[in-house]
């Protein structure tokens, strides 16, 4: 009876999506002021996280800019950044988490580039509005003598037009710029070269505040051939030598990447090929070739080889697939996606794998999605089927303890927008799955007669009932609405997953938990100060309520709290207070606490303190942070940490110098308290030997770690000295049809010593050298 | 009397300030092809445009049958003007709105989000805030295609809201008539905005009053960077009296003429009185240019230094002075 009930649940339920990546989105940003991005990775296998990146752009920009985020606590990533927004009225951003197996998690989960978070770009009332009108940032122009055009609206007349500075490709052309009323324009006296070009515009207001626009664009005359093409090539050779023991790194690494775009009429083709000598025989392949065909308006896209699609969190998310795919897009109405091909499922975790083919089962993947937008109601229905190819490991003795499996997930995602600006919405997601743990036996069970009376035959044929088969469902619901003037937002949500739910598309789904919570966001002073709070109630292993042998409805339960207060002062100073508390108690053992920890992080930074004297420019950035972590269950993890850092950038053309210092003191509060001090000092000098053609750099960095506290195991006295030398040569003209050809050479020599270790211990006292060559060009 | 004079000066200052404020810059020309002219309140006649020039309230921009132009408003909105079009720039400082009055022809508008922008004709008004649309106007009426966003369209007989993928017709005596259209039926002329050839002008050497001098004209194919092999007719006009042009040195000199370029190269002869001048070159599918010309007066006195080494092995110098009679 229970199985039939679950089967019905599967048939009636749809997709999808839990909140694995958590982020409190920005509804608005203030131009020129720093933003603190926070991303929490929940239920992600953290050691496998390669990188966490933020992609952002303004609505007037051609492409996204990528910025790496920094891990500040397990599963928490922060980024304090002042984006260059030029003339944007909207700030668009999304997050990408790259895992070591090549898979990618994104937020938003589905088509993140197209569905990126959108925040309004605001300015303070007195701020002038300065816009780059022509050429657009990251655009391609075919006019060799474009009019460089910047406009400004200055309602309070605070701009000082005498301070206009315009640089094209680094050359100051301010004297030839034409300044009139709302415009600054410049017409180059000679045609531009067919190349990448840059623009930098500065104007100061009467308070001395600098307003800047940075932009780059490409001048490219049209190719006369029927087929137009452009692309870029990047080759990297990395030689490594070290006496470290054990040495797991290879002596040489070679990576080559070619990207090419071809266009004929309205048909476009993107070709991408990546080769690396680090390719291994296990897990998903790193070497990839991708070929995509699409029309000018992206209405139809055909993936002829290799793709890593993101349909939904539960269904198909970042799995690299060798095969074919298609997307058909009716803008703002409907979208259809389809993928069919092969992936790989690793079985390396077996105790005796005896692998003869990459340690994986080849896995057949078939997936489709239909998404629609009608009158503010967005819907998506997705289906994905994963099926191990048992013949890909023909000897069953090589399977170890693994068996060929099959998994099907059907989901329904819905978002009902209840206000024109989409600030009030109801989002629900449901997913159902069936899982066959062993398809090698293949015995289909006879369905009871009463089931045949209820379930149509075609469904029984589509989802045959086999021995060991499990079915499950997962879902979530979320409601958000502004309370006062869109500044005070409240968001409530809940999600759960039944024990039988399984999706190969995301292997880290928790199967049996119920969670619900609320978030409150408040922005005041036009976003200069923001408060946010979040509360989440958790009931784990909730399906125990159906277990007659269990004395409690759930095994663990607890609450999570989070409070954030952030304040920006004119983009110069930043204050942040962040507090989180997490608890889990064991319901079955008289509420014994399993998890009980709290983290408090205070941040303060001074940004962009600038000094300019004639040709000298200097900029200072500082930051100060205090982190307190208290864990009442595992008290040896408790610590207080204080960090301070500063970086000074100076420029005295043609020399640039960077000085940096950081220091962190961590007081471990365990049974044997001890203090660890990490310090880092760095100097880097850049010298432009031939302007725009040859530049060199040299750097030295010293990292020190010291702990002489009571805990013998934690004692530390290490230092690491890194010397870097490098040069960049840019070939000034075309080589055949290659332009903007750059050649990099980089030498790094590192010495690591540990005074507490034996001098012959090459795991702690060693040297290493790397020599890196890199060649990039566009065509 | 002195008081009256001071009062008069104050009034002049106020009126001058007012007129300056009223004539704030609205738009800048970023690109054009073929023959494009403008007329401002300060200049009575139509003059050839120049890349980067600024337009003010009341200015008129006119494209000939071979002309197209692109302008940016300071608010970030962009307008492209088709062949055979005449528009007038208008603005309202109080409402911060800008408008184009279209006498005849066709324009495509990409209006920045939040910008108040109107397109007017004798047949009606289209008001937008952040959208993309195309307007054609003639004696019979006005037609408007909406590519993105919403456009409010009204005339004396009614008002409608037109959404994307629609075509609305305005006719005298009728309320606006809106029909849905396929995306493929929307105008595409605005996408063809690239020059076929690049014009290079050179005139080395010093120019002297009354002496003809040569201007070398070169046309290069913008795609191949080689000489432009197709035939092209270039319109050349001296922008000031006192400077004349001719196709050959001994031909009759005139204020304007046409040069037929066959193999990418041609020459032009120029003669004039002393002063600073400009010669305007325009042609179909190219961006025109103004060539600045500076002509020096004939010197009425000249000094020649003569240096020689004598038998005494010393250097000697004789200054010779010539005067024009």
């Amino acid at each position: 009876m229970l199985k039939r009930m679950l089967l019905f649940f599967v048939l009636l339920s749809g997709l999808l999506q839990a909140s694995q990546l958590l982020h409190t989105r920005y509804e608005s940003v203030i131009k020129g002021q720093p933003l603190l991005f926070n991303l929490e990775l929940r239920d992600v296998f953290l050691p496998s996280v390669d990188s966490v990146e933020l992609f952002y752009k303004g609505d007037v920009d051609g492409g996204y800019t990528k910025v790496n985020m920094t891990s500040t606590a397990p599963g928490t990533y922060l980024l304090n950044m002042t984006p260059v927004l030029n003339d944007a009225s909207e700030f668009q951003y999304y997050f990408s988490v790259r895992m070591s197996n090549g898979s990618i998690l994104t937020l938003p989960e589905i088509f993140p580039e197209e569905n990126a978070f959108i925040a309004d770009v605001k300015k303070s009332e007195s701020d002038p509005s300065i816009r780059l009108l022509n050429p657009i940032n990251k655009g391609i122009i075919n006019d060799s003598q474009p009019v460089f055009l910047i406009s400004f609206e200055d309602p309070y007349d605070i701009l000082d037009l005498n301070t206009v500075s315009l640089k094209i490709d680094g050359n100051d052309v301010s004297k030839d710029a034409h300044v009139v009323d709302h415009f600054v324009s410049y017409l180059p006296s000679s045609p531009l070269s067919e190349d990448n070009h840059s623009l930098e515009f500065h104007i100061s207001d009467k308070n001395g505040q600098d307003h800047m626009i940075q932009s780059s664009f490409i001048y490219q005359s049209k190719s006369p051939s029927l087929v137009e093409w452009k692309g870029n090539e990047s080759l990297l050779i990395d030689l490594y030598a070290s006496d470290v023991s054990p040495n797991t790194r290879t002596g040489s690494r070679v990576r080559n990447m070619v990207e090419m775009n071809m266009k004929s009429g309205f048909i476009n083709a993107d070709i991408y090929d990546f080769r690396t000598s680090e390719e291994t025989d296990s897990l998903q392949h790193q070497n990839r070739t991708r070929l995509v065909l699409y029309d000018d308006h992206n209405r139809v896209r055909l993936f002829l080889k290799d793709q890593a699609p993101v349909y939904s969190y539960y269904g198909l998310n970042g799995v690299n697939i060798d095969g074919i795919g298609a997307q058909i897009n009716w803008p703002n109405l409907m979208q259809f996606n389809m993928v069919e091909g092969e992936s790989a499922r690793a079985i390396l975790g077996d105790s005796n794998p005896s692998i003869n083919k990459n340690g994986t089962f080849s896995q057949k993947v078939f997936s489709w999605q239909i998404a629609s937008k009608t009158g503010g109601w967005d819907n998506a229905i997705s289906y994905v089927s994963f099926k191990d190819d048992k013949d890909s490991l023909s000897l069953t003795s090589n399977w170890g303890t693994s068996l060929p499996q099959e998994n099907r997930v059907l989901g329904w995602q819905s978002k009902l927008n209840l206000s024109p600006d989409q600030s009030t919405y109801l989002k629900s997601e449901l997913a159902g799955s069936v899982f066959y743990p062993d398809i090698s036996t293949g015995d289909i069970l006879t369905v009871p007669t009463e089931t045949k009376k209820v379930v149509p035959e075609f469904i029984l044929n589509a989802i045959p009932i086999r021995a060991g088969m499990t079915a499950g469902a997962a879902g979530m619901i979320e409601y958000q609405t502004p309370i006062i003037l869109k500044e005070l937002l409240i968001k409530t949500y809940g999600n759960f997953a039944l024990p039988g739910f399984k999706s190969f598309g995301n292997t880290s789904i928790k199967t049996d938990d119920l969670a619900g919570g609320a978030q409150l966001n408040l922005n005041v002073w036009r976003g200069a100060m923001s408060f946010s709070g979040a509360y989440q109630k958790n009931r784990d292993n909730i399906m125990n309520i159906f277990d007659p042998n269990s004395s409690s409805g759930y095994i663990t339960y607890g609450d999570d709290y989070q409070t954030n207060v952030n304040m920006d002062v004119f983009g110069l100073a930043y204050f942040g207070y962040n507090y989180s508390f997490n608890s889990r108690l064991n319901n079955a053992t008289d509420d014994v606490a399993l998890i009980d920890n709290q983290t408090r992080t205070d941040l303060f930074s001074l940004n962009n303190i600038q000094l300019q004297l004639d040709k000298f420019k200097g900029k200072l950035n500082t930051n100060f942070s205090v982190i307190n972590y208290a864990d009442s269950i595992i008290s040896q993890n408790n610590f207080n940490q204080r960090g301070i850092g500063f970086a000074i950038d100076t420029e005295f053309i043609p020399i640039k110098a960077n000085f940096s210092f950081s220091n962190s003191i961590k007081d471990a509060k365990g049974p044997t308290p001890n203090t660890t001090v990490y310090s880092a000092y760095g100097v880097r000098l850049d010298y432009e030997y031939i302007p725009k053609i040859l530049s060199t750099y040299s750097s030295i960095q010293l990292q020190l770690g010291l702990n002489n506290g009571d805990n013998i195991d934690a004692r530390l006295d290490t230092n690491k000295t890194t010397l870097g030398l490098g040069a960049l040569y840019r070939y000034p003209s075309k080589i055949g049809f290659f332009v903007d050809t750059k050649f990099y050479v980089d030498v790094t020599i590192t010495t690591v010593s540990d005074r507490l270790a034996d001098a012959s211990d090459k795991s702690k006292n060693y040297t290493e050298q790397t020599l890196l060559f890199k060649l990039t060009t566009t065509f | 009397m002195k008081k009256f004079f001071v009062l008069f000066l104050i009034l002049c200052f106020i009126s001058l300030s007012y007129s300056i404020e009223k004539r704030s810059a609205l738009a800048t020309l970023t690109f054009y092809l073929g023959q494009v002219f403008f007329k401002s309140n300060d200049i009575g006649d139509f003059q050839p445009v120049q890349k980067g020039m600024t337009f003010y309230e009341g200015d008129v921009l006119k494209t000939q049958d071979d002309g197209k132009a692109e302008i940016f408003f300071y608010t970030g909105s962009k307008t492209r003007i088709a062949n055979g079009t005449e528009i007038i720039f208008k603005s309202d400082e109080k409402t911060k709105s800008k408008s184009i009055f279209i006498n005849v022809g066709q324009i495509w508008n990409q209006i920045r989000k939040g910008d108040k922008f109107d397109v007017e004709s004798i047949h009606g008004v289209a008001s937008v805030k952040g959208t993309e649309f195309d307007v054609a106007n003639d004696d019979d009426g006005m037609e408007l295609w909406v590519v993105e966003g919403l456009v409010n369209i009204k005339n004396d007989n009614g008002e409608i809201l037109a959404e994307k993928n629609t075509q609305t017709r305005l006719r005298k005596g009728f309320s606006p008539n809106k029909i849905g259209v396929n995306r493929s039926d929307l105008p595409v002329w605005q996408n063809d905005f690239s020059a076929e050839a690049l014009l290079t002008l050179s005139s080395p050497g010093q120019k002297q009053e009354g002496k003809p001098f040569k201007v070398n004209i070169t046309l290069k194919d913008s795609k191949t960077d080689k000489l432009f092999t197709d035939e092209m007719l270039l319109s050349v006009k001296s922008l000031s009296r006192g400077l004349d042009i001719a196709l050959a040195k001994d031909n009759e000199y005139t204020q304007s003429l046409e040069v037929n370029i066959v193999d990418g190269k041609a020459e032009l002869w120029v003669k004039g009185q002393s002063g600073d001048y400009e010669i305007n070159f325009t042609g179909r599918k190219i961006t025109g240019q103004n060539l600045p010309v500076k002509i020096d007066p004939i010197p009425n006195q000249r000094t020649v230094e003569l240096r020689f080494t004598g038998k005494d092995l010393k250097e000697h110098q004789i200054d010779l002075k010539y005067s024009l009679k």
Side-chain angles (χ1 to χ4, degrees), chain A residues 87 90 143 145 151 181-182, chain B residues 24-25 31 51 74 112-113:
Chain A
D87 182 33
E90 287 182 352
D143 182 4
Q145 280 178 285
S151 75
D181 284 351
H182 304 291
Chain B
S24 63
F31 189 78
K51 236 175 165 183
Y74 69 85
R112 190 184 160 75
K113 187 180 169 187

Side-chain angles (χ1 to χ4, degrees), chain A residues 105 108 119 133 217 278 285 393 430 433-434 446 522 530 542 547 606 661 726 761:
Chain A
L105 308 174
L133 301 183
F217 65 94
E278 298 164 285
H285 295 293
L393 283 175
L430 282 170
S433 74
V434 288
T446 306
L522 175 64
S530 67
I542 195 166
D547 184 351
L606 288 170
F661 166 73
D761 182 354

Side-chain angles (χ1 to χ4, degrees), chain A residues 70-81:
Chain A
T70 309
S71 175
T72 55
T76 302
Y77 285 77
L78 280 179
L79 173 66
N80 192 359
M81 174 192 73

Side-chain angles (χ1 to χ4, degrees), chain A residues 87 89-90 131 133-134 142-145 147 149 151 153 180-183 185 187 221-222 224 299 332, chain B residues 23-31 51-52 54 56 72-76 112-113 164 183 194 222-223:
Chain A
D87 182 33
S89 60
E90 287 182 352
R131 305 185 173 103
L133 301 183
N134 195 52
N142 56 22
D143 182 4
S144 62
Q145 280 178 285
V147 176
L149 188 60
S151 75
E153 287 179 84
V180 54
D181 284 351
H182 304 291
F183 293 105
S185 63
L187 184 64
S221 64
K222 282 193 171 178
R299 302 280 160 68
N332 299 317
Chain B
R23 295 263 305 152
S24 63
L26 287 176
T28 295
L29 181 80
T30 49
F31 189 78
K51 236 175 165 183
T54 310
Y56 296 81
F72 273 91
F73 288 85
Y74 69 85
T75 48
R112 190 184 160 75
K113 187 180 169 187
K164 72 176 193 176
R183 203 148 180 98
S194 56
S222 60
K223 294 172 184 173

Side-chain angles (χ1 to χ4, degrees), chain A residues 313-371:
Chain A
Y313 180 71
Y314 284 143
L316 182 63
N317 191 341
V319 179
N320 286 324
I321 298 168
D322 290 321
I324 58 167
Q327 285 180 3
I328 300 171
N329 185 21
W330 291 270
N332 299 317
L333 184 65
M334 191 169 276
Q335 193 171 50
F336 174 75
N337 304 302
M338 189 279 287
V339 174
E340 183 172 26
E342 283 195 357
S343 185
R345 188 171 71 87
I347 57 170
L348 279 173
D350 293 345
S351 56
N352 182 24
S354 182
I355 305 303
N356 71 347
K357 188 185 177 185
N358 297 341
T360 59
F361 274 118
S362 174
Q363 193 178 63
K364 294 186 185 303
V365 182
F366 173 66
S367 178
W368 53 258
Q369 182 192 54
I370 297 174

